[in-house]
């Protein structure tokens, strides 16, 4: 079975969460390439330099130095074609403010609670 996406970018500061999420993505054949970055700033640089062109981004909300929402502010400034990039906010946050802010953001496709599951992937796959 072909993967529905070519490139998936996972941005989360937590090594264990990244390990688990990556395994779910790999086992589900979600994308041909899965790129993991623990630093949102590093991910922004990859996007700015056009080093990668993800189809899907899974973005954590709460990270030190730069939150998921701060990442989105920097993402908005990037001079790249964003129309085909889906961003899923992937978080363990139960804060209703985070969910409300993500639902009001023009770049966020959906808020997904951690841990990422095969069922959640099936719901978002084309």
């Amino acid at each position: 079975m072909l993967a529905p996406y070519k490139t998936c970018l996972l941005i989360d500061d937590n090594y264990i969460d990244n390990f688990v999420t990556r395994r779910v993505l790999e086992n589900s054949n979600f994308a041909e390439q899965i790129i993991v970055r623990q630093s949102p700033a590093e991910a922004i640089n990859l996007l700015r330099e056009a080093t990668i062109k993800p189809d899907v981004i899974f973005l954590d909300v709460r990270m030190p130095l730069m939150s998921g929402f701060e990442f989105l502010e920097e993402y908005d400034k990037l001079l790249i074609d964003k129309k085909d990039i889906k961003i899923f906010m992937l978080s363990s946050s139960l804060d209703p403010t985070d969910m409300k802010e993500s639902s009001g953001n023009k770049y966020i496709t959906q808020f997904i609670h951690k841990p990422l599951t095969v069922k959640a992937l099936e719901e978002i796959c084309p």
Side-chain angles (χ1 to χ4, degrees):
M1 181 173 103
L2 289 174
Y5 297 104
K6 184 172 177 8
T7 305
C8 175
L9 175 59
L10 171 59
I11 306 167
D12 194 326
D13 64 306
N14 186 296
Y15 175 82
I16 299 296
D17 287 342
N18 284 335
F19 178 81
V20 170
T21 302
R22 182 180 194 124
R23 296 297 280 183
V24 170
L25 292 168
E26 288 172 344
N27 291 339
S28 299
N29 195 32
F30 184 77
E32 294 174 25
Q33 180 181 30
I34 300 165
I35 299 164
V36 180
R37 290 295 178 266
Q38 288 183 267
S39 163
E42 185 180 336
I44 285 290
N45 286 335
L46 290 175
L47 294 166
R48 182 181 294 116
E49 296 164 3
T51 305
I52 61 168
K53 171 73 167 83
D55 305 295
V56 177
I57 298 173
F58 287 100
L59 177 64
D60 188 20
V61 174
R62 306 219 173 174
M63 296 177 280
L65 305 179
M66 180 186 283
S67 74
F69 295 114
E70 291 168 326
F71 169 89
L72 291 168
E73 290 172 15
E74 293 302 311
Y75 178 81
D76 187 53
K77 298 173 191 174
L78 294 176
L79 301 175
I80 62 169
D81 183 13
K82 301 175 185 108
K83 69 177 170 46
D84 294 328
I85 302 174
K86 294 181 180 181
I87 301 178
F88 295 96
M89 196 61 94
L90 182 62
S91 179
S92 56
S93 172
L94 298 175
D95 185 342
T97 308
D98 289 339
M99 289 180 248
K100 183 179 179 186
E101 189 171 347
S102 69
S103 68
N105 188 290
K106 66 182 177 181
Y107 296 115
I108 300 295
T109 302
Q110 186 177 333
F111 189 100
I112 301 172
H113 287 283
K114 286 182 189 177
L116 184 64
T117 63
V118 172
K119 185 176 187 299
L121 282 181
E122 289 170 353
E123 290 173 4
I124 65 173
C125 277

